[in-house]
Amino acid sequence: MARYGKARLGDMLVQLGHLLQDNLGQALEQQRQSGERLGKVLVERKFATEVQVAQALSAQLSLPFIDLRHFHLRPEISRRLSEYQSRRLHAIVLEEHDGGLLVGMVDPTDLLLYDELKRLLRSELTLAVVAESQFIETLDRVYRRTEEISGLAQELSDDMGEAIVDLHEMDEAASLEAAPVVKLLQTIFDDAMRIRASDVHIEPMERQLRIRFRIDGALHLQTEADPNIAPALVLRLKLMSGLDISEKRLPQDGRFHMRARDQVVDVRVSSMPTQYGESVVLRLLNRSGNFLSLEKLGMPPEMLKEFRKIIHRSEGMVLVTGPTGSGKTTTLYAALDEINSIEQKIVTVEDPVEYRLPGINQVQVNEKIDLTFARVLRSVLRQDPDIILVGEMRDPETAQIGLRAAITGHLVFSTLHTRDAAGTLARLVDMDVPRYMVASSVQVLLAQRLLRRVCESCSQPHTPSAIEAEWLLQAGVAEVEWSQLRTGNGCSYCNKTGYNGRQAIYEMLVMNRELIDLAAHHDSTRFIQAARQQLVGRTLLDDAISRMKSGGTSVAEVMRISNQVDD
């Protein structure tokens, strides 16, 4: 065990330039009152970051600091400790070397934890300091439940054998918490939440049942199992979401909520008959997940400034466009959070309600009982609202009611599925919305997409291939600008994809006098031409290229996005 340095943690942070002396005094006073660790107080009060505290602790103890974001772990080594042991001891086995093991600890000063580690690992230990948040993220990667899912799937297959599923028997069995099918589903949900999956795909094939997760917009295989267990899984999911278990010939949609990893998750269920059984897709919406503020959305500064001005107006419509899963609702809720106040009555009409925002009235659409967007909107207008959010302009009636509300003194936020900002007018006209109504109400059209980030853990300089080089030149990116290009090599941190997380890219079309006149009196072609002229240099593709030049994403990812947003 390393001997501790004489300098105190707070003084070490000051010496390293990570902490102001005045802030240290405030933190020490709070520590005396609360009894919490100084490092925790400093992080909570944002006087220092977790990494800075960990680096200071490593200097104080003369131990190395390991940045787990850039450390290549071997899971088989880390699993020398079970997940339970690792989380309890706040320690992870990093590597094996001659004479012992390198172990990362969040708090190496805890001698009781160190003694417990020695007893469990039965080896000489070399300690390193790791940041707590990185430690938790790393455990979520290392202790994936893939093997457990495969084992539970096999257990369920063995229990079922070749027998035909009896609905009544399965209903009774599914109600038992210990039933293999329930264990399997719970484990799938837990694993999906660990790795931030947005969707779970359960797909029966001829020779296997395939389970895939969508992570950062791309599908990844989780496991393949015996196809005989598919009916049991589908049946259980139908029971949970209130669907008709006897109907296998028609698509069905439902929802339920559950708890996974101490988080409440809303699950939207879609079943569809296929050649080898019913395919089920589960959309996971984390109720306890915090939405982003406007500053953290990643809008270019000038765009953010203009957008802020518009959302503080008292009337008009703000339309956010893009395909499903492009972050439109996140953007709208960031805007609502900014303008939410006691003086404003805000009502949202959604399907489903994805975020819970204190102080606003949120309505869940339910078409099964004829509680449609249009019907709710008509009632909302009698509730004396100042601001209305309509989850989606799905039909002409909803669009007309929303636009009429924007004309008559309400600020209305909504979304629409269009390719870009310029094409939004044509989409509304196709929905039989009068031109004058669009011209009189729409204030701004914001189009967005989600772009995958290069994984920081395995990011490296990138030399474009011949095809990429040709595309870069055609896109106006000169060779002198290629020096900052990055790509991800693939590591355990990013599931070997080279990407970890996503960022939004935007284009914003503000309705000026020329565009309003073209929207009201002319065909859509002239409006689109004028709109694209206004957007020169500020399109979705321009924003994506800017992120690529700074190393935030790869050439391949921008090329992929360009196929969606370019003509």
Side-chain angles (χ1 to χ4, degrees), residues 500-524:
N500 195 336
R502 292 189 288 178
Q503 58 191 318
I505 54 172
Y506 299 94
E507 68 179 27
M508 188 169 78
L509 182 65
V510 179
M511 295 291 286
N512 57 23
R513 178 52 53 191
E514 178 191 9
L515 293 177
I516 290 172
D517 183 63
L518 290 171
H521 302 110
H522 300 279
D523 62 61
S524 299

mmCIF file with all atom_site columns, all heavy atoms in Angstrom, residues 500-524:
data_model
loop_
_atom_site.group_PDB
_atom_site.id
_atom_site.type_symbol
_atom_site.label_atom_id
_atom_site.label_alt_id
_atom_site.label_comp_id
_atom_site.label_asym_id
_atom_site.label_entity_id
_atom_site.label_seq_id
_atom_site.pdbx_PDB_ins_code
_atom_site.Cartn_x
_atom_site.Cartn_y
_atom_site.Cartn_z
_atom_site.occupancy
_atom_site.B_iso_or_equiv
_atom_site.pdbx_formal_charge
_atom_site.auth_seq_id
_atom_site.auth_comp_id
_atom_site.auth_asym_id
_atom_site.auth_atom_id
_atom_site.pdbx_PDB_model_num
ATOM 1   N N   . ASN A 1 500 ? -19.487 7.018  -29.855 1.00 0.00 ? 500 ASN A N   1
ATOM 2   C CA  . ASN A 1 500 ? -20.097 6.955  -28.532 1.00 0.00 ? 500 ASN A CA  1
ATOM 3   C C   . ASN A 1 500 ? -20.903 8.237  -28.305 1.00 0.00 ? 500 ASN A C   1
ATOM 4   O O   . ASN A 1 500 ? -20.337 9.316  -28.148 1.00 0.00 ? 500 ASN A O   1
ATOM 5   C CB  . ASN A 1 500 ? -19.027 6.814  -27.449 1.00 0.00 ? 500 ASN A CB  1
ATOM 6   C CG  . ASN A 1 500 ? -19.626 6.375  -26.128 1.00 0.00 ? 500 ASN A CG  1
ATOM 7   O OD1 . ASN A 1 500 ? -20.798 6.588  -25.865 1.00 0.00 ? 500 ASN A OD1 1
ATOM 8   N ND2 . ASN A 1 500 ? -18.817 5.749  -25.298 1.00 0.00 ? 500 ASN A ND2 1
ATOM 9   N N   . GLY A 1 501 ? -22.219 8.097  -28.313 1.00 0.00 ? 501 GLY A N   1
ATOM 10  C CA  . GLY A 1 501 ? -23.089 9.258  -28.142 1.00 0.00 ? 501 GLY A CA  1
ATOM 11  C C   . GLY A 1 501 ? -23.382 9.950  -29.457 1.00 0.00 ? 501 GLY A C   1
ATOM 12  O O   . GLY A 1 501 ? -22.766 9.650  -30.500 1.00 0.00 ? 501 GLY A O   1
ATOM 13  N N   . ARG A 1 502 ? -24.348 10.874 -29.396 1.00 0.00 ? 502 ARG A N   1
ATOM 14  C CA  . ARG A 1 502 ? -24.731 11.619 -30.596 1.00 0.00 ? 502 ARG A CA  1
ATOM 15  C C   . ARG A 1 502 ? -24.847 13.109 -30.288 1.00 0.00 ? 502 ARG A C   1
ATOM 16  O O   . ARG A 1 502 ? -25.028 13.514 -29.149 1.00 0.00 ? 502 ARG A O   1
ATOM 17  C CB  . ARG A 1 502 ? -26.053 11.089 -31.160 1.00 0.00 ? 502 ARG A CB  1
ATOM 18  C CG  . ARG A 1 502 ? -25.944 9.683  -31.726 1.00 0.00 ? 502 ARG A CG  1
ATOM 19  C CD  . ARG A 1 502 ? -27.185 9.248  -32.460 1.00 0.00 ? 502 ARG A CD  1
ATOM 20  N NE  . ARG A 1 502 ? -28.299 8.977  -31.560 1.00 0.00 ? 502 ARG A NE  1
ATOM 21  C CZ  . ARG A 1 502 ? -29.515 8.614  -31.979 1.00 0.00 ? 502 ARG A CZ  1
ATOM 22  N NH1 . ARG A 1 502 ? -29.755 8.495  -33.279 1.00 0.00 ? 502 ARG A NH1 1
ATOM 23  N NH2 . ARG A 1 502 ? -30.476 8.361  -31.115 1.00 0.00 ? 502 ARG A NH2 1
ATOM 24  N N   . GLN A 1 503 ? -24.758 13.915 -31.325 1.00 0.00 ? 503 GLN A N   1
ATOM 25  C CA  . GLN A 1 503 ? -24.905 15.359 -31.218 1.00 0.00 ? 503 GLN A CA  1
ATOM 26  C C   . GLN A 1 503 ? -25.872 15.813 -32.295 1.00 0.00 ? 503 GLN A C   1
ATOM 27  O O   . GLN A 1 503 ? -25.967 15.206 -33.365 1.00 0.00 ? 503 GLN A O   1
ATOM 28  C CB  . GLN A 1 503 ? -23.548 16.042 -31.393 1.00 0.00 ? 503 GLN A CB  1
ATOM 29  C CG  . GLN A 1 503 ? -22.879 15.707 -32.730 1.00 0.00 ? 503 GLN A CG  1
ATOM 30  C CD  . GLN A 1 503 ? -21.447 16.145 -32.791 1.00 0.00 ? 503 GLN A CD  1
ATOM 31  O OE1 . GLN A 1 503 ? -21.105 17.229 -32.344 1.00 0.00 ? 503 GLN A OE1 1
ATOM 32  N NE2 . GLN A 1 503 ? -20.576 15.304 -33.341 1.00 0.00 ? 503 GLN A NE2 1
ATOM 33  N N   . ALA A 1 504 ? -26.610 16.874 -32.020 1.00 0.00 ? 504 ALA A N   1
ATOM 34  C CA  . ALA A 1 504 ? -27.578 17.369 -32.997 1.00 0.00 ? 504 ALA A CA  1
ATOM 35  C C   . ALA A 1 504 ? -26.911 18.350 -33.958 1.00 0.00 ? 504 ALA A C   1
ATOM 36  O O   . ALA A 1 504 ? -26.012 19.096 -33.576 1.00 0.00 ? 504 ALA A O   1
ATOM 37  C CB  . ALA A 1 504 ? -28.738 18.055 -32.277 1.00 0.00 ? 504 ALA A CB  1
ATOM 38  N N   . ILE A 1 505 ? -27.345 18.314 -35.210 1.00 0.00 ? 505 ILE A N   1
ATOM 39  C CA  . ILE A 1 505 ? -26.976 19.338 -36.188 1.00 0.00 ? 505 ILE A CA  1
ATOM 40  C C   . ILE A 1 505 ? -28.264 20.020 -36.631 1.00 0.00 ? 505 ILE A C   1
ATOM 41  O O   . ILE A 1 505 ? -29.343 19.413 -36.623 1.00 0.00 ? 505 ILE A O   1
ATOM 42  C CB  . ILE A 1 505 ? -26.220 18.754 -37.398 1.00 0.00 ? 505 ILE A CB  1
ATOM 43  C CG1 . ILE A 1 505 ? -27.027 17.606 -38.051 1.00 0.00 ? 505 ILE A CG1 1
ATOM 44  C CG2 . ILE A 1 505 ? -24.839 18.274 -36.986 1.00 0.00 ? 505 ILE A CG2 1
ATOM 45  C CD1 . ILE A 1 505 ? -26.430 17.110 -39.354 1.00 0.00 ? 505 ILE A CD1 1
ATOM 46  N N   . TYR A 1 506 ? -28.161 21.307 -36.989 1.00 0.00 ? 506 TYR A N   1
ATOM 47  C CA  . TYR A 1 506 ? -29.357 22.108 -37.236 1.00 0.00 ? 506 TYR A CA  1
ATOM 48  C C   . TYR A 1 506 ? -29.241 22.955 -38.493 1.00 0.00 ? 506 TYR A C   1
ATOM 49  O O   . TYR A 1 506 ? -28.143 23.302 -38.934 1.00 0.00 ? 506 TYR A O   1
ATOM 50  C CB  . TYR A 1 506 ? -29.585 23.082 -36.061 1.00 0.00 ? 506 TYR A CB  1
ATOM 51  C CG  . TYR A 1 506 ? -29.795 22.441 -34.724 1.00 0.00 ? 506 TYR A CG  1
ATOM 52  C CD1 . TYR A 1 506 ? -28.721 22.247 -33.857 1.00 0.00 ? 506 TYR A CD1 1
ATOM 53  C CD2 . TYR A 1 506 ? -31.058 22.048 -34.305 1.00 0.00 ? 506 TYR A CD2 1
ATOM 54  C CE1 . TYR A 1 506 ? -28.907 21.664 -32.606 1.00 0.00 ? 506 TYR A CE1 1
ATOM 55  C CE2 . TYR A 1 506 ? -31.254 21.467 -33.064 1.00 0.00 ? 506 TYR A CE2 1
ATOM 56  C CZ  . TYR A 1 506 ? -30.178 21.284 -32.218 1.00 0.00 ? 506 TYR A CZ  1
ATOM 57  O OH  . TYR A 1 506 ? -30.364 20.715 -30.994 1.00 0.00 ? 506 TYR A OH  1
ATOM 58  N N   . GLU A 1 507 ? -30.405 23.308 -39.030 1.00 0.00 ? 507 GLU A N   1
ATOM 59  C CA  . GLU A 1 507 ? -30.529 24.444 -39.940 1.00 0.00 ? 507 GLU A CA  1
ATOM 60  C C   . GLU A 1 507 ? -31.810 25.175 -39.550 1.00 0.00 ? 507 GLU A C   1
ATOM 61  O O   . GLU A 1 507 ? -32.816 24.543 -39.209 1.00 0.00 ? 507 GLU A O   1
ATOM 62  C CB  . GLU A 1 507 ? -30.547 24.017 -41.406 1.00 0.00 ? 507 GLU A CB  1
ATOM 63  C CG  . GLU A 1 507 ? -31.771 23.233 -41.850 1.00 0.00 ? 507 GLU A CG  1
ATOM 64  C CD  . GLU A 1 507 ? -31.724 22.857 -43.325 1.00 0.00 ? 507 GLU A CD  1
ATOM 65  O OE1 . GLU A 1 507 ? -30.611 22.732 -43.883 1.00 0.00 ? 507 GLU A OE1 1
ATOM 66  O OE2 . GLU A 1 507 ? -32.807 22.691 -43.934 1.00 0.00 ? 507 GLU A OE2 1
ATOM 67  N N   . MET A 1 508 ? -31.769 26.507 -39.555 1.00 0.00 ? 508 MET A N   1
ATOM 68  C CA  . MET A 1 508 ? -32.909 27.287 -39.081 1.00 0.00 ? 508 MET A CA  1
ATOM 69  C C   . MET A 1 508 ? -33.308 28.313 -40.134 1.00 0.00 ? 508 MET A C   1
ATOM 70  O O   . MET A 1 508 ? -32.491 29.120 -40.585 1.00 0.00 ? 508 MET A O   1
ATOM 71  C CB  . MET A 1 508 ? -32.575 27.999 -37.766 1.00 0.00 ? 508 MET A CB  1
ATOM 72  C CG  . MET A 1 508 ? -33.785 28.660 -37.134 1.00 0.00 ? 508 MET A CG  1
ATOM 73  S SD  . MET A 1 508 ? -33.479 29.217 -35.439 1.00 0.00 ? 508 MET A SD  1
ATOM 74  C CE  . MET A 1 508 ? -32.546 30.716 -35.760 1.00 0.00 ? 508 MET A CE  1
ATOM 75  N N   . LEU A 1 509 ? -34.578 28.257 -40.511 1.00 0.00 ? 509 LEU A N   1
ATOM 76  C CA  . LEU A 1 509 ? -35.134 29.177 -41.502 1.00 0.00 ? 509 LEU A CA  1
ATOM 77  C C   . LEU A 1 509 ? -36.107 30.115 -40.795 1.00 0.00 ? 509 LEU A C   1
ATOM 78  O O   . LEU A 1 509 ? -37.159 29.693 -40.316 1.00 0.00 ? 509 LEU A O   1
ATOM 79  C CB  . LEU A 1 509 ? -35.861 28.383 -42.596 1.00 0.00 ? 509 LEU A CB  1
ATOM 80  C CG  . LEU A 1 509 ? -36.457 29.188 -43.750 1.00 0.00 ? 509 LEU A CG  1
ATOM 81  C CD1 . LEU A 1 509 ? -35.350 29.865 -44.550 1.00 0.00 ? 509 LEU A CD1 1
ATOM 82  C CD2 . LEU A 1 509 ? -37.288 28.271 -44.651 1.00 0.00 ? 509 LEU A CD2 1
ATOM 83  N N   . VAL A 1 510 ? -35.718 31.395 -40.708 1.00 0.00 ? 510 VAL A N   1
ATOM 84  C CA  . VAL A 1 510 ? -36.571 32.401 -40.077 1.00 0.00 ? 510 VAL A CA  1
ATOM 85  C C   . VAL A 1 510 ? -37.439 33.045 -41.155 1.00 0.00 ? 510 VAL A C   1
ATOM 86  O O   . VAL A 1 510 ? -36.944 33.462 -42.202 1.00 0.00 ? 510 VAL A O   1
ATOM 87  C CB  . VAL A 1 510 ? -35.718 33.467 -39.363 1.00 0.00 ? 510 VAL A CB  1
ATOM 88  C CG1 . VAL A 1 510 ? -36.613 34.524 -38.721 1.00 0.00 ? 510 VAL A CG1 1
ATOM 89  C CG2 . VAL A 1 510 ? -34.829 32.812 -38.308 1.00 0.00 ? 510 VAL A CG2 1
ATOM 90  N N   . MET A 1 511 ? -38.726 33.100 -40.895 1.00 0.00 ? 511 MET A N   1
ATOM 91  C CA  . MET A 1 511 ? -39.673 33.645 -41.888 1.00 0.00 ? 511 MET A CA  1
ATOM 92  C C   . MET A 1 511 ? -39.571 35.173 -41.931 1.00 0.00 ? 511 MET A C   1
ATOM 93  O O   . MET A 1 511 ? -40.026 35.868 -41.022 1.00 0.00 ? 511 MET A O   1
ATOM 94  C CB  . MET A 1 511 ? -41.091 33.211 -41.536 1.00 0.00 ? 511 MET A CB  1
ATOM 95  C CG  . MET A 1 511 ? -41.318 31.708 -41.623 1.00 0.00 ? 511 MET A CG  1
ATOM 96  S SD  . MET A 1 511 ? -41.273 31.073 -43.312 1.00 0.00 ? 511 MET A SD  1
ATOM 97  C CE  . MET A 1 511 ? -42.847 31.679 -43.932 1.00 0.00 ? 511 MET A CE  1
ATOM 98  N N   . ASN A 1 512 ? -38.934 35.683 -42.996 1.00 0.00 ? 512 ASN A N   1
ATOM 99  C CA  . ASN A 1 512 ? -38.879 37.125 -43.199 1.00 0.00 ? 512 ASN A CA  1
ATOM 100 C C   . ASN A 1 512 ? -39.990 37.567 -44.148 1.00 0.00 ? 512 ASN A C   1
ATOM 101 O O   . ASN A 1 512 ? -40.811 36.750 -44.600 1.00 0.00 ? 512 ASN A O   1
ATOM 102 C CB  . ASN A 1 512 ? -37.501 37.540 -43.720 1.00 0.00 ? 512 ASN A CB  1
ATOM 103 C CG  . ASN A 1 512 ? -37.141 36.819 -45.028 1.00 0.00 ? 512 ASN A CG  1
ATOM 104 O OD1 . ASN A 1 512 ? -38.022 36.357 -45.766 1.00 0.00 ? 512 ASN A OD1 1
ATOM 105 N ND2 . ASN A 1 512 ? -35.843 36.717 -45.291 1.00 0.00 ? 512 ASN A ND2 1
ATOM 106 N N   . ARG A 1 513 ? -40.040 38.862 -44.478 1.00 0.00 ? 513 ARG A N   1
ATOM 107 C CA  . ARG A 1 513 ? -41.130 39.391 -45.304 1.00 0.00 ? 513 ARG A CA  1
ATOM 108 C C   . ARG A 1 513 ? -41.196 38.714 -46.670 1.00 0.00 ? 513 ARG A C   1
ATOM 109 O O   . ARG A 1 513 ? -42.286 38.394 -47.163 1.00 0.00 ? 513 ARG A O   1
ATOM 110 C CB  . ARG A 1 513 ? -40.944 40.908 -45.460 1.00 0.00 ? 513 ARG A CB  1
ATOM 111 C CG  . ARG A 1 513 ? -41.981 41.597 -46.333 1.00 0.00 ? 513 ARG A CG  1
ATOM 112 C CD  . ARG A 1 513 ? -43.413 41.289 -45.942 1.00 0.00 ? 513 ARG A CD  1
ATOM 113 N NE  . ARG A 1 513 ? -43.660 41.546 -44.529 1.00 0.00 ? 513 ARG A NE  1
ATOM 114 C CZ  . ARG A 1 513 ? -44.751 41.166 -43.901 1.00 0.00 ? 513 ARG A CZ  1
ATOM 115 N NH1 . ARG A 1 513 ? -45.663 40.433 -44.526 1.00 0.00 ? 513 ARG A NH1 1
ATOM 116 N NH2 . ARG A 1 513 ? -44.921 41.442 -42.624 1.00 0.00 ? 513 ARG A NH2 1
ATOM 117 N N   . GLU A 1 514 ? -40.031 38.461 -47.293 1.00 0.00 ? 514 GLU A N   1
ATOM 118 C CA  . GLU A 1 514 ? -40.027 37.816 -48.610 1.00 0.00 ? 514 GLU A CA  1
ATOM 119 C C   . GLU A 1 514 ? -40.621 36.413 -48.539 1.00 0.00 ? 514 GLU A C   1
ATOM 120 O O   . GLU A 1 514 ? -41.472 36.034 -49.373 1.00 0.00 ? 514 GLU A O   1
ATOM 121 C CB  . GLU A 1 514 ? -38.600 37.754 -49.159 1.00 0.00 ? 514 GLU A CB  1
ATOM 122 C CG  . GLU A 1 514 ? -38.502 37.051 -50.513 1.00 0.00 ? 514 GLU A CG  1
ATOM 123 C CD  . GLU A 1 514 ? -37.080 36.741 -50.935 1.00 0.00 ? 514 GLU A CD  1
ATOM 124 O OE1 . GLU A 1 514 ? -36.163 36.911 -50.096 1.00 0.00 ? 514 GLU A OE1 1
ATOM 125 O OE2 . GLU A 1 514 ? -36.886 36.297 -52.084 1.00 0.00 ? 514 GLU A OE2 1
ATOM 126 N N   . LEU A 1 515 ? -40.192 35.631 -47.551 1.00 0.00 ? 515 LEU A N   1
ATOM 127 C CA  . LEU A 1 515 ? -40.678 34.253 -47.427 1.00 0.00 ? 515 LEU A CA  1
ATOM 128 C C   . LEU A 1 515 ? -42.165 34.219 -47.081 1.00 0.00 ? 515 LEU A C   1
ATOM 129 O O   . LEU A 1 515 ? -42.901 33.343 -47.552 1.00 0.00 ? 515 LEU A O   1
ATOM 130 C CB  . LEU A 1 515 ? -39.867 33.504 -46.375 1.00 0.00 ? 515 LEU A CB  1
ATOM 131 C CG  . LEU A 1 515 ? -38.389 33.234 -46.719 1.00 0.00 ? 515 LEU A CG  1
ATOM 132 C CD1 . LEU A 1 515 ? -37.680 32.559 -45.559 1.00 0.00 ? 515 LEU A CD1 1
ATOM 133 C CD2 . LEU A 1 515 ? -38.268 32.382 -47.981 1.00 0.00 ? 515 LEU A CD2 1
ATOM 134 N N   . ILE A 1 516 ? -42.618 35.147 -46.247 1.00 0.00 ? 516 ILE A N   1
ATOM 135 C CA  . ILE A 1 516 ? -44.042 35.196 -45.903 1.00 0.00 ? 516 ILE A CA  1
ATOM 136 C C   . ILE A 1 516 ? -44.880 35.468 -47.148 1.00 0.00 ? 516 ILE A C   1
ATOM 137 O O   . ILE A 1 516 ? -45.919 34.825 -47.380 1.00 0.00 ? 516 ILE A O   1
ATOM 138 C CB  . ILE A 1 516 ? -44.292 36.282 -44.834 1.00 0.00 ? 516 ILE A CB  1
ATOM 139 C CG1 . ILE A 1 516 ? -43.684 35.843 -43.490 1.00 0.00 ? 516 ILE A CG1 1
ATOM 140 C CG2 . ILE A 1 516 ? -45.790 36.542 -44.677 1.00 0.00 ? 516 ILE A CG2 1
ATOM 141 C CD1 . ILE A 1 516 ? -43.706 36.922 -42.440 1.00 0.00 ? 516 ILE A CD1 1
ATOM 142 N N   . ASP A 1 517 ? -44.411 36.395 -47.989 1.00 0.00 ? 517 ASP A N   1
ATOM 143 C CA  . ASP A 1 517 ? -45.148 36.729 -49.217 1.00 0.00 ? 517 ASP A CA  1
ATOM 144 C C   . ASP A 1 517 ? -45.178 35.542 -50.173 1.00 0.00 ? 517 ASP A C   1
ATOM 145 O O   . ASP A 1 517 ? -46.224 35.218 -50.756 1.00 0.00 ? 517 ASP A O   1
ATOM 146 C CB  . ASP A 1 517 ? -44.491 37.935 -49.893 1.00 0.00 ? 517 ASP A CB  1
ATOM 147 C CG  . ASP A 1 517 ? -45.257 38.365 -51.142 1.00 0.00 ? 517 ASP A CG  1
ATOM 148 O OD1 . ASP A 1 517 ? -46.436 38.772 -51.022 1.00 0.00 ? 517 ASP A OD1 1
ATOM 149 O OD2 . ASP A 1 517 ? -44.682 38.273 -52.250 1.00 0.00 ? 517 ASP A OD2 1
ATOM 150 N N   . LEU A 1 518 ? -44.044 34.847 -50.325 1.00 0.00 ? 518 LEU A N   1
ATOM 151 C CA  . LEU A 1 518 ? -43.995 33.688 -51.222 1.00 0.00 ? 518 LEU A CA  1
ATOM 152 C C   . LEU A 1 518 ? -44.860 32.548 -50.686 1.00 0.00 ? 518 LEU A C   1
ATOM 153 O O   . LEU A 1 518 ? -45.496 31.822 -51.454 1.00 0.00 ? 518 LEU A O   1
ATOM 154 C CB  . LEU A 1 518 ? -42.552 33.215 -51.386 1.00 0.00 ? 518 LEU A CB  1
ATOM 155 C CG  . LEU A 1 518 ? -41.618 34.138 -52.196 1.00 0.00 ? 518 LEU A CG  1
ATOM 156 C CD1 . LEU A 1 518 ? -40.188 33.662 -52.100 1.00 0.00 ? 518 LEU A CD1 1
ATOM 157 C CD2 . LEU A 1 518 ? -42.070 34.184 -53.663 1.00 0.00 ? 518 LEU A CD2 1
ATOM 158 N N   . ALA A 1 519 ? -44.880 32.369 -49.361 1.00 0.00 ? 519 ALA A N   1
ATOM 159 C CA  . ALA A 1 519 ? -45.687 31.311 -48.768 1.00 0.00 ? 519 ALA A CA  1
ATOM 160 C C   . ALA A 1 519 ? -47.172 31.564 -48.973 1.00 0.00 ? 519 ALA A C   1
ATOM 161 O O   . ALA A 1 519 ? -47.958 30.628 -49.154 1.00 0.00 ? 519 ALA A O   1
ATOM 162 C CB  . ALA A 1 519 ? -45.390 31.201 -47.279 1.00 0.00 ? 519 ALA A CB  1
ATOM 163 N N   . ALA A 1 520 ? -47.568 32.817 -48.986 1.00 0.00 ? 520 ALA A N   1
ATOM 164 C CA  . ALA A 1 520 ? -48.992 33.153 -49.066 1.00 0.00 ? 520 ALA A CA  1
ATOM 165 C C   . ALA A 1 520 ? -49.531 33.160 -50.490 1.00 0.00 ? 520 ALA A C   1
ATOM 166 O O   . ALA A 1 520 ? -50.698 32.819 -50.714 1.00 0.00 ? 520 ALA A O   1
ATOM 167 C CB  . ALA A 1 520 ? -49.240 34.513 -48.421 1.00 0.00 ? 520 ALA A CB  1
ATOM 168 N N   . HIS A 1 521 ? -48.716 33.520 -51.477 1.00 0.00 ? 521 HIS A N   1
ATOM 169 C CA  . HIS A 1 521 ? -49.271 33.812 -52.793 1.00 0.00 ? 521 HIS A CA  1
ATOM 170 C C   . HIS A 1 521 ? -48.671 33.030 -53.949 1.00 0.00 ? 521 HIS A C   1
ATOM 171 O O   . HIS A 1 521 ? -49.123 33.178 -55.083 1.00 0.00 ? 521 HIS A O   1
ATOM 172 C CB  . HIS A 1 521 ? -49.103 35.312 -53.099 1.00 0.00 ? 521 HIS A CB  1
ATOM 173 C CG  . HIS A 1 521 ? -49.750 36.199 -52.081 1.00 0.00 ? 521 HIS A CG  1
ATOM 174 N ND1 . HIS A 1 521 ? -49.030 36.966 -51.202 1.00 0.00 ? 521 HIS A ND1 1
ATOM 175 C CD2 . HIS A 1 521 ? -51.058 36.410 -51.785 1.00 0.00 ? 521 HIS A CD2 1
ATOM 176 C CE1 . HIS A 1 521 ? -49.851 37.636 -50.421 1.00 0.00 ? 521 HIS A CE1 1
ATOM 177 N NE2 . HIS A 1 521 ? -51.092 37.325 -50.744 1.00 0.00 ? 521 HIS A NE2 1
ATOM 178 N N   . HIS A 1 522 ? -47.664 32.256 -53.738 1.00 0.00 ? 522 HIS A N   1
ATOM 179 C CA  . HIS A 1 522 ? -46.989 31.615 -54.856 1.00 0.00 ? 522 HIS A CA  1
ATOM 180 C C   . HIS A 1 522 ? -46.865 30.110 -54.638 1.00 0.00 ? 522 HIS A C   1
ATOM 181 O O   . HIS A 1 522 ? -47.177 29.603 -53.568 1.00 0.00 ? 522 HIS A O   1
ATOM 182 C CB  . HIS A 1 522 ? -45.597 32.241 -55.066 1.00 0.00 ? 522 HIS A CB  1
ATOM 183 C CG  . HIS A 1 522 ? -45.652 33.709 -55.360 1.00 0.00 ? 522 HIS A CG  1
ATOM 184 N ND1 . HIS A 1 522 ? -45.926 34.208 -56.606 1.00 0.00 ? 522 HIS A ND1 1
ATOM 185 C CD2 . HIS A 1 522 ? -45.494 34.785 -54.539 1.00 0.00 ? 522 HIS A CD2 1
ATOM 186 C CE1 . HIS A 1 522 ? -45.915 35.525 -56.561 1.00 0.00 ? 522 HIS A CE1 1
ATOM 187 N NE2 . HIS A 1 522 ? -45.664 35.909 -55.322 1.00 0.00 ? 522 HIS A NE2 1
ATOM 188 N N   . ASP A 1 523 ? -46.399 29.417 -55.689 1.00 0.00 ? 523 ASP A N   1
ATOM 189 C CA  . ASP A 1 523 ? -46.252 27.973 -55.555 1.00 0.00 ? 523 ASP A CA  1
ATOM 190 C C   . ASP A 1 523 ? -45.045 27.658 -54.658 1.00 0.00 ? 523 ASP A C   1
ATOM 191 O O   . ASP A 1 523 ? -44.185 28.499 -54.405 1.00 0.00 ? 523 ASP A O   1
ATOM 192 C CB  . ASP A 1 523 ? -46.094 27.315 -56.929 1.00 0.00 ? 523 ASP A CB  1
ATOM 193 C CG  . ASP A 1 523 ? -44.848 27.786 -57.665 1.00 0.00 ? 523 ASP A CG  1
ATOM 194 O OD1 . ASP A 1 523 ? -43.741 27.581 -57.146 1.00 0.00 ? 523 ASP A OD1 1
ATOM 195 O OD2 . ASP A 1 523 ? -44.994 28.388 -58.753 1.00 0.00 ? 523 ASP A OD2 1
ATOM 196 N N   . SER A 1 524 ? -45.001 26.429 -54.211 1.00 0.00 ? 524 SER A N   1
ATOM 197 C CA  . SER A 1 524 ? -43.989 26.019 -53.237 1.00 0.00 ? 524 SER A CA  1
ATOM 198 C C   . SER A 1 524 ? -42.574 26.073 -53.796 1.00 0.00 ? 524 SER A C   1
ATOM 199 O O   . SER A 1 524 ? -41.607 26.255 -53.051 1.00 0.00 ? 524 SER A O   1
ATOM 200 C CB  . SER A 1 524 ? -44.296 24.604 -52.741 1.00 0.00 ? 524 SER A CB  1
ATOM 201 O OG  . SER A 1 524 ? -45.553 24.547 -52.115 1.00 0.00 ? 524 SER A OG  1
#
